[in-house]
Amino acid sequence: MRIEFGWSLDGASWADAASGGAAGTVRMGPRGLVTLLQTRLGLTRPEVDRAVRTAQWMRLIDEHLAGLSDPAAFWPAASCAVDPWSTARQLLRWRDAAVEAGWRPATADPALLPPRLAAIAAVERRVVVGMPGTCAPDGRPATLSPGPADDLREIVDLLAQLRAGGASWPLGVDRISLHEDPAELPGLWPMLLDLIAGCGVEITAVPAPAERAPQLEVVSCLDEWSAADVAARFLAAPAPPGDGPLTVLASSDTDVLDRALHRRGLPGIGRVAPSPDRAHHQVLGLFLDVATAPVDVHQLAALLDLRVLPGPDADAEPIGLVPAAARRTLLRALTQEPGVGGPAWQSALEHLAQQEGPGAAAALEAAREIDRLVTDPLPAEDLRPAAISRRLGWLADRLRRVSRGDGDLRASLTQVQTLQQVLEMLDASAPLSRRTLQQIIDACGGSGPSPRARAEVADWATTTRPAQITASGGTVLWWGPADDAVPAAVTWDAEEIRALDRDGARAPAPEALAALHVDAALAGLRRADRVIAVLPGRRLEAAPAPSGLLAHLEAALGRGEGDRRSPASLLEGTTWSLAGRTRELHRPARARFAAPAPGPVRIGPAAHLMPQRLSYSQAATLIGCPHRWVLEYGFGIRPAQVAALPTGPPMIGTLVHAVVEHLVQELHDPQLGGVRLEAPTPERIGAVFDALVPQLASELDLPGRSAEREDIRARAVRSVHALFARMADAGLRITGTETRFSHPLVLAGEAGGRTVDFGGSRDVDARDARGRPVVIDLKWARSAKTYADLFDTDEAIQLASYAWSMEQEEPQETAPAVGYYILTTGEFIAADPTLDPHGRAPMDTRGAWDRAVSAISRALSEVAAGTVQVGCRHLLEDAGLDASSPYDAQRKAWDAARAEARSRGGLVVKSYCATSDYAQLCGLQGDWR
């Protein structure tokens, strides 16, 4: 075997004919050569995750501190107390750098060492390098898994031992050709190459490339998209005769470039950088976020909805981390009650327990595990390693069960298993902080490849580093030259360098290491006859850092940034040309899109969309915007459950409603047929509020929301106390809350004869002193103005529907009294002067209900005939307005439409949904706004 060795050649392709290579010749960098020598010398071992080594080193630091009479004397003791994981990781990095330089910390004299090296040496005395579970020759168990520096040290020691004993070992290598002078290499490398030569391997030098500057074309673009068009056009254009080999040097991500290439029918480069933010790297962190108190219900919903694999075929549902049956059932419970442990959550678990058939057992098992996870979460201030590891058991089993060999999902499983391994190494009695746990999770995850990082067969060679350009001559298309990052080197001060030298180490200067990379990169670029650099002006909303390599090439030709070309300069008429390649372009005709036609949407006869059941919410939507009703209820087009979790005022309203319901049940006296005419104490109201928050509004318990929670609690306590007290003062005895009803409703007009079930639940039922029924609707709203207007104009059809339902259950000579109670402000809107001092006239609930039924009937008749009115857009068009008209003009149009409808005995429900999920489907938002 012949090896071409260069300090920057790890990951390089094999030598090929274009670069003078032949069969049996391989390019290698430092890590590649070490791996080969390990194989030839019988020193191979399983790779150990860096997070495991950090955990081992952190444990060694803890043991060292525990053995000190004064732990504060340890140089990094203060840092260990504040951030133990980062401190251990940094100390281990310094230790590995020193070992790679040739230092033996276990044998160094601590009295002669500077503080940093002394701290490393102190911990190193507890180190026994070896794989977990193995022992050293003297019987001591291994305490630190070997890293790359230890691998290098082990090879050097073995070869030196063989040489000292007059023995040799066949390495199976005939020749190593070096791109660098061995004396310029850092640390143990000159010694290693000398030892390899002593094993009969010929060490030669690669001839240096000619000191010449290649022809250079630099195209500077405004953004990544225009730069991608320049590069893709160049690759699509035919090469002139004798142009030589073509190499694409991808210094930046090629995601946008790949799309431009695919539009032209060319193969993509597929060089997208790995990232720790890939989806499969988020599973573990999300799972532990949900497992830690306080439970974030939105994170829980995201975990339930997480899909980890595509379905087995194109039409199949993607496979979720949580089985589909459990996912749908638990998400449905969260949309009803955004918390855990409440009635909806328990009902969901009971429903799953009653299911039978394929997958029912797995769904129930997953649901019960999720329930245990969130009803008994890990305390955030007491995160014990053993408790965390126990929570991970189900996750590892589930990932193993569904992975089916998928590489990304196997990476998620590996991350979980690595974290379990790390947790086993930590002190079980010492709790972890949230920050430390997140650092460990991030360290276990590493970086994952992009799903678009797929190289495709092409006519050109591809590389990501200038030093790895293989072809001699030809053209290099340099995509996205940017800051020429070199691996960060450990910087030692002068005293530390003297100490390392005294112990036989060769500490490399950072500038010397950087020179190795820069010289190799320039040598690679100089191998080409022509370099074409395409610069994206901005990428990811930021200008990339300038490339020192590109500036060097430009300076060698006496050029600068002012000599760079723009994309426009490459075009003459319809002919595009760059560096001898030309391509004829054509301008496609401009596409024009027509705005949606005014008026209603016309569909075919739609009797099949007629409902069997209606509620107030459906009825209000149907009257206000039949188009939205058809989409939401007729076609079932709704936001995903994970996006429909109640939050903000709807969530708080549900919570306070539940507080009232709980108190009514608690105070109900069967002998009185209702609650006593007295108010519960503020302390009791607050206690009920606190008990229900985790079940119905758990997000209020999240960190950073304590002030908001206290404000809502204080308002709820005052408002609920006032509700009971003022109803008692008015002689109104509450008889029930959330009273469900369902009665047949006969529609009128053209839909006459059609009967639907009309159902819902009334917030508060009561009786006055004379036994007459009263119904109060509770609202958590910013202002009472809207509801006062609806009450005064007899358009409060929700109250009318409640009064109608009560009359269906108990016919009355006069309609039941109705009213609103605004929970946010603690005020009633009612005709009873003891509740509302504004002197309002009683609401005509019967007339309002008749108008509502007529409006429902008319809307359904139109839908059945195939005409669907587009709610507020229809109203605005009739007024000569559109969605972009000023708010005041739109408000006046609504007021005029309501007044006109009242004058003729009709009804208009204001249903302006420009901020809803349906606004883009009717033109209120989007391109036509």
Side-chain angles (χ1 to χ4, degrees):
M1 172 183 283
R2 295 178 298 278
I3 296 175
E4 183 182 331
F5 176 87
W7 197 248
S8 300
L9 290 185
D10 273 324
S13 61
W14 283 58
D16 53 27
S19 58
T25 299
V26 63
R27 283 190 170 85
M28 286 185 175
R31 190 58 194 161
L33 183 56
V34 167
T35 302
L36 174 68
L37 293 175
Q38 284 180 302
T39 303
R40 298 297 168 84
L41 294 170
L43 300 176
T44 56
R45 58 174 66 89
E47 186 176 357
V48 178
D49 194 279
R50 188 178 303 173
V52 173
R53 297 188 71 237
T54 303
Q56 292 170 333
W57 189 257
M58 189 164 80
R59 183 175 61 183
L60 292 170
I61 292 175
D62 291 340
E63 292 174 357
H64 175 68
L65 288 171
L68 295 177
S69 58
D70 181 15
F74 186 53
W75 178 67
S79 297
C80 291
V82 175
D83 190 351
W85 183 264
S86 296
T87 303
R89 182 178 57 200
Q90 185 60 57
L91 280 175
L92 180 60
R93 176 173 176 262
W94 289 336
R95 177 262 181 198
D96 287 346
V99 169
E100 187 172 6
W103 190 48
R104 297 182 184 272
T107 61
D109 185 355
L112 302 177
L113 294 176
R116 178 163 57 159
L117 292 177
I120 295 172
V123 179
E124 186 74 16
R125 288 186 180 83
R126 298 178 177 271
V127 168
V128 177
V129 176
M131 296 299 293
T134 64
C135 294
D138 60 5
R140 291 184 300 158
T143 58
L144 180 65
S145 299
D150 300 294
D151 294 340
L152 177 62
R153 175 88 261 178
E154 184 179 32
I155 292 171
V156 170
D157 287 347
L158 179 57
L159 292 177
Q161 182 181 354
L162 290 172
R163 174 183 284 187
S168 182
W169 190 270
L171 299 179
V173 178
D174 300 319
R175 183 178 70 242
I176 297 180
S177 301
L178 304 179
H179 280 268
E180 292 88 10
D181 183 348
E184 296 177 354
L185 298 180
L188 293 170
W189 280 95
M191 183 186 298
L192 174 63
L193 293 171
D194 179 64
L195 291 168
I196 291 173
C199 293
V201 179
E202 180 185 2
I203 304 295
T204 63
V206 174
E211 285 291 337
R212 63 186 181 91
Q215 300 176 35
L216 182 64
E217 293 276 6
V218 182
V219 182
S220 182
C221 306
L222 292 175
D223 52 49
E224 192 175 11
W225 303 92
S226 57
D229 280 335
V230 170
R233 285 171 180 169
F234 180 83
L235 293 173
D243 195 43
L246 173 62
T247 300
V248 175
L249 171 58
S251 294
S252 301
D253 278 9
T254 63
D255 192 16
V256 175
L257 173 58
D258 289 342
R259 300 182 199 186
L261 290 170
H262 288 156
R263 287 198 302 271
R264 292 165 173 82
L266 296 175
I269 308 298
R271 302 291 184 172
V272 183
S275 168
D277 298 324
R278 304 297 178 207
H280 52 276
H281 280 70
Q282 307 303 308
V283 175
L284 177 57
L286 178 61
F287 183 84
L288 288 178
D289 278 348
V290 171
T292 306
V295 176
D296 186 340
V297 69
H298 297 279
Q299 292 286 72
L300 172 58
L303 179 70
L304 292 171
D305 195 57
L306 184 64
R307 316 301 170 91
V308 294
L309 282 178
D313 55 65
D315 297 327
E317 183 180 13
I319 298 172
L321 180 67
V322 177
R327 176 178 69 245
R328 287 191 291 264
T329 304
L330 294 179
L331 278 175
R332 190 180 306 116
L334 290 180
T335 59
Q336 297 169 11
E337 298 176 355
V340 294
W345 184 265
Q346 295 302 326
S347 177
L349 294 174
E350 292 171 5
H351 171 78
L352 289 169
Q354 296 168 1
Q355 302 306 302
E356 297 180 354
L364 179 60
E365 177 194 1
R368 286 176 172 168
E369 182 62 34
I370 296 295
D371 178 59
R372 283 192 292 268
L373 201 68
V374 297
T375 55
D376 183 25
L378 296 165
E381 67 284 352
D382 191 29
L383 295 170
R384 304 280 174 168
I388 299 170
S389 188
R390 284 195 299 271
R391 298 298 200 283
L392 297 174
W394 176 83
L395 177 61
D397 290 343
R398 179 63 181 168
L399 289 172
R400 192 178 296 111
R401 199 174 303 162
V402 302
S403 63
R404 300 186 319 210
D406 179 83
D408 289 346
L409 212 54
R410 296 295 298 178
S412 298
L413 176 58
T414 300
Q415 185 183 17
V416 174
Q417 293 170 332
T418 301
L419 177 59
Q420 290 177 308
Q421 189 177 358
V422 168
L423 293 171
E424 289 174 1
M425 297 177 179
L426 302 180
D427 183 356
S429 63
L432 301 173
S433 67
R434 288 290 293 265
R435 175 184 178 184
T436 300
L437 178 58
Q438 188 58 54
Q439 289 173 326
I440 296 174
I441 293 172
D442 293 342
C444 292
S447 295
S450 166
R452 293 192 291 273
R454 302 183 184 276
E456 299 170 351
V457 177
D459 293 334
W460 52 78
T462 303
T463 186
T464 58
R465 301 168 69 180
Q468 296 177 3
I469 295 174
T470 61
S472 297
T475 300
V476 171
L477 176 64
W478 193 357
W479 167 253
D483 182 25
D484 313 301
V486 297
V490 172
T491 301
W492 307 103
D493 63 29
E495 186 181 0
E496 291 169 333
I497 291 174
R498 286 193 295 271
L500 291 171
D501 289 344
R502 186 171 54 248
D503 290 335
R506 296 177 66 250
E511 58 272 18
L513 285 177
L516 289 174
H517 290 278
V518 171
D519 291 346
L522 286 174
L525 290 169
R526 288 180 182 134
R527 293 190 186 98
D529 293 329
R530 181 187 295 111
V531 174
I532 300 167
V534 181
L535 293 169
R538 295 181 68 82
R539 184 176 179 275
L540 301 178
E541 300 300 324
S547 167
L549 293 175
L550 179 60
H552 185 95
L553 294 180
E554 288 180 310
L557 297 172
R559 290 156 51 180
E561 293 186 9
D563 299 304
R564 296 173 179 176
R565 303 181 65 179
S566 67
S569 69
L570 308 178
L571 190 63
E572 292 185 7
T574 60
T575 302
W576 181 92
S577 61
L578 174 63
R581 297 192 179 204
T582 61
R583 181 177 175 85
E584 289 297 319
L585 305 181
H586 71 280
R587 185 187 299 274
R590 175 172 293 183
R592 297 186 180 277
F593 299 91
V601 175
R602 305 290 181 181
I603 60 176
H608 60 287
L609 296 180
M610 295 299 98
Q612 301 298 316
R613 178 178 175 81
L614 284 175
S615 63
Y616 160 71
S617 298
Q618 273 208 61
T621 301
L622 179 61
I623 299 170
C625 183
H627 183 258
R628 174 172 175 172
W629 181 87
V630 168
L631 294 174
E632 184 174 0
Y633 297 100
F635 296 158
I637 300 174
R638 297 186 178 122
Q641 288 177 316
V642 70
L645 263 64
T647 188
M651 175 193 69
I652 299 168
T654 300
L655 170 64
V656 182
H657 275 65
V659 171
V660 173
E661 181 181 7
H662 188 94
L663 291 169
V664 169
Q665 293 173 354
E666 199 173 79
L667 299 173
H668 188 272
D669 187 338
Q671 295 182 349
L672 297 175
V675 303
R676 296 182 295 276
L677 295 181
E678 61 184 39
T681 64
E683 292 76 17
R684 181 56 191 156
I685 298 172
V688 173
F689 179 95
D690 294 337
L692 292 178
V693 164
Q695 300 177 11
L696 303 174
S698 64
E699 66 180 68
L700 294 179
D701 282 333
L702 294 176
R705 301 191 65 171
S706 58
E708 178 188 4
R709 185 190 191 280
E710 287 305 308
D711 174 64
I712 293 170
R713 186 184 189 275
R715 284 195 286 166
V717 169
R718 288 194 302 267
S719 179
V720 172
H721 184 269
L723 169 69
F724 281 90
R726 293 176 62 185
M727 290 189 71
D729 292 344
L732 297 177
R733 187 183 307 279
I734 299 175
T735 59
T737 57
E738 299 300 326
T739 306
R740 298 200 61 79
F741 65 86
S742 180
H743 304 294
L745 173 65
V746 180
L747 301 180
E750 298 178 12
R754 182 184 300 276
T755 301
V756 298
D757 288 332
F758 192 93
S761 59
R762 300 186 295 266
D763 286 355
V764 177
D765 288 352
R767 297 278 175 169
D768 64 13
R770 289 183 290 178
R772 293 177 300 184
V774 178
V775 61
I776 301 296
D777 190 43
L778 308 178
K779 296 293 182 187
W780 185 275
R782 294 180 180 178
S783 169
K785 181 178 179 181
T786 298
Y787 297 100
D789 176 61
L790 292 174
F791 187 94
D792 295 338
T793 57
D794 295 334
E795 292 181 359
I797 61 173
Q798 186 172 16
L799 295 179
S801 71
Y802 292 167
W804 170 82
S805 70
M806 296 190 82
E807 290 197 80
Q808 301 303 302
E809 299 163 6
E810 185 180 348
Q812 301 285 327
E813 182 178 342
T814 59
V818 297
Y820 288 116
Y821 183 68
I822 310 302
L823 291 163
T824 47
T825 58
E827 57 184 310
F828 281 93
I829 300 171
D832 188 338
T834 58
L835 296 176
D836 183 352
H838 292 89
R840 303 183 192 278
M843 178 181 166
D844 179 11
T845 55
R846 290 173 176 171
W849 182 243
D850 289 341
R851 286 185 288 144
V853 172
S854 296
I856 293 170
S857 303
R858 183 171 57 255
L860 286 177
S861 298
E862 290 181 351
V863 171
T867 300
V868 182
Q869 298 291 346
V870 187
C872 49
R873 200 186 80 187
H874 170 66
L875 184 145
L876 294 175
E877 288 172 354
D878 287 348
L881 303 174
D882 58 30
S884 63
S885 299
Y887 173 77
D888 285 343
Q890 295 188 38
R891 179 180 54 79
K892 292 178 181 178
W894 278 106
D895 292 342
R898 290 178 60 201
E900 191 275 333
R902 281 196 301 271
S903 67
R904 56 179 173 79
L907 178 68
V908 168
V909 172
K910 189 173 182 179
S911 179
Y912 188 70
C913 55
T915 57
S916 79
D917 297 294
Y918 300 89
Q920 286 193 325
L921 300 179
C922 67
L924 282 176
Q925 291 289 346
D927 294 338
W928 310 116
R929 178 174 169 81

